[in-house]
Amino acid sequence: MSKILKLFSGSGAISIIAIVLGLIVGAVVMLIGGYEPLLAYKSLFSQVFGNTYDFGETLREITPLILTGFAFAFAARAGLFNIGGEGQFIVGMTAASVIGIKVHGLPIYIHAPLAVIAGGLFGGIWAALVGYLKAKRGVNEVITSIMLNWIALYLANFIVRHFLLMEGKQRSEDILPTASVSFPWLSDLMDSARIHWGMLIAVLCSVFFYYFMWKTKQGFELRAVGNNPNAAQYAGMNVGRNVVKAMFISGIFAGLAGAFQILGVFHYQSIMSGSPGTGFDGIAVGLIGMNNPFGILLGALLFGTLTYGSAGMSFGAGVPPELIRIVIGSIIFFIAAQGIVRGIIKPFYFKRKKEKVL
């Protein structure tokens, strides 16, 4: 039992306890509002696991959250706050749309990968602009990434409206079938849920994230720059180059998320009245996963389940779906305020330790 308690005093336990506390806070808010929390949570999970279609759609909801979570976490490991995942996501969508619609005559095994690569590459370039300004001019990455989010939104709408627009519609033409990354036979097994290859790529990206960051020399340099840029420079590392590199790879993750949304889910790009929000949700996922690639997989699983299942809360228990944001916000709060969580764990841990001594 003491080994279990010791395990629960680590960072993984903080996330688990933060999730439990967040669900409790959500339950309290529901009680105050006159709702039944047990029925609400039951309805939430019934919405997700009630049938194969909804389960498949939940997986579809989780996929871009994983990739945008990686975008935030990768930069954070290098000491950078990439709040521009939203813009990188939109640029990735747009690049994939252009290749998917305008490039003709290619077989599917070339066209689809080309569109995916274009989405990731342009997302990386968009983020690298932030890294360059940080490295060469000392411009704070939060400011530039926020501004580039808006530029990406309006640039994407301009491109769709002037080059890709379907006549009479507020959206682009459909991508060519050869650019699709949908998973038809698995989608059929899940009652036409929008399953695509991006789900597998997202999991493989977690392996890449871990191996690159903790098993390679370049990853060591990025973490060193993130921990202490002055010491890293004194040790002979090129801080500026590593900043640009970290932002570029970070942007690739977000760009891939956008590309897969177009190529695997919608198959067209709409003229957006506002940001889709997926890049910002990725920040929350990164915080829940504590910037660990495998923690982010679990964080995205939680976030996607709560987000998609919130509709079930509305239909099954009459709870407004917006309330799930209170739950998510509470979870992030308790993860950020680790002292509160450790204070909850500490009495139980030391009580068991005292009993063992006696």
Side-chain angles (χ1 to χ4, degrees):
M1 185 67 182
S2 62
K3 290 182 178 180
I4 296 175
L5 289 170
K6 187 176 181 180
L7 176 64
F8 270 71
S9 64
S11 60
I14 291 173
S15 295
I16 294 172
I17 295 173
I19 291 167
V20 173
L21 291 174
L23 293 173
I24 292 172
V25 169
V28 171
V29 173
M30 290 181 213
L31 287 172
I32 294 172
Y35 304 107
E36 298 181 36
L38 291 179
L39 176 60
Y41 286 136
K42 180 181 177 182
S43 300
L44 184 150
F45 288 105
S46 295
Q47 171 73 17
V48 174
F49 301 105
N51 56 68
T52 54
Y53 172 80
D54 285 322
F55 181 69
E57 284 294 298
T58 303
L59 294 178
R60 188 266 309 162
E61 183 83 23
I62 290 168
T63 301
L65 296 174
I66 294 174
L67 291 168
T68 53
F70 289 160
F72 174 78
F74 195 93
R77 287 289 177 181
L80 301 165
F81 195 87
N82 181 14
I83 202 172
E86 185 78 353
Q88 296 142 29
F89 175 85
I90 293 171
V91 168
M93 289 173 59
T94 308
S97 295
V98 170
I99 299 298
I101 295 169
K102 291 298 185 181
V103 177
H104 297 265
L106 295 178
I108 189 169
Y109 56 83
I110 294 178
H111 197 185
L114 180 64
V116 171
I117 291 170
L121 182 61
F122 276 87
I125 292 171
W126 201 255
L129 293 174
V130 177
Y132 177 81
L133 291 172
K134 170 81 172 182
K136 296 298 182 181
R137 300 295 180 184
V139 182
N140 187 284
E141 72 273 15
V142 174
I143 303 300
T144 50
S145 58
I146 289 175
M147 291 191 296
L148 283 172
N149 284 342
W150 291 103
I151 294 172
L153 174 64
Y154 294 121
L155 177 62
N157 284 344
F158 176 83
I159 291 172
V160 172
R161 186 175 286 112
H162 288 85
F163 302 104
L164 308 175
L165 192 68
M166 176 182 283
E167 188 175 354
K169 302 289 184 179
Q170 290 294 300
R171 70 174 183 90
S172 73
E173 299 175 0
D174 291 331
I175 63 169
L176 297 174
T178 51
S180 174
V181 295
S182 296
F183 217 147
W185 69 267
L186 187 57
S187 180
D188 291 339
L189 287 177
M190 292 189 167
D191 295 331
S192 299
R194 292 168 290 180
I195 307 297
H196 56 83
W197 284 99
M199 299 175 182
L200 176 62
I201 300 300
V203 175
L204 293 177
C205 282
S206 68
V207 178
F208 166 80
F209 188 146
Y210 172 78
Y211 182 82
F212 183 90
M213 191 61 75
W214 280 278
K215 300 295 181 180
T216 67
K217 176 185 174 182
Q218 295 182 64
F220 173 79
E221 288 191 6
L222 291 180
R223 287 185 289 119
V225 169
N227 288 326
N228 192 325
N230 294 325
Q233 187 173 17
Y234 184 77
M237 301 176 189
N238 190 322
V239 174
R241 183 176 62 192
N242 278 291
V243 166
V244 176
K245 183 191 301 180
M247 288 301 298
F248 177 70
I249 297 175
S250 172
I252 287 176
F253 288 129
L256 287 174
F260 284 123
Q261 285 294 92
I262 295 297
L263 304 175
V265 180
F266 300 113
H267 296 150
Y268 63 85
Q269 183 168 333
S270 300
I271 294 176
M272 296 170 283
S273 58
S275 293
T278 309
F280 295 124
D281 289 342
I283 297 174
V285 171
L287 293 172
I288 292 172
M290 303 188 77
N291 296 331
N292 180 289
F294 304 117
I296 288 170
L297 289 178
L298 299 177
L301 178 64
L302 171 71
F303 199 113
T305 298
L306 293 176
T307 302
Y308 189 81
S310 62
M313 292 173 57
S314 180
F315 290 117
V319 177
E322 291 81 8
L323 192 142
I324 207 65
R325 292 288 173 170
I326 296 177
V327 175
I328 294 171
S330 300
I331 292 171
I332 295 171
F333 168 78
F334 286 116
I335 289 175
Q338 294 185 17
I340 297 175
V341 179
R342 293 185 188 277
I344 293 172
I345 299 172
K346 192 174 180 180
F348 296 98
Y349 178 70
F350 281 102
K351 182 179 179 182
R352 292 294 304 180
K353 190 173 183 180
K354 185 176 180 181
E355 289 175 357
K356 185 177 179 180
V357 172
L358 293 175

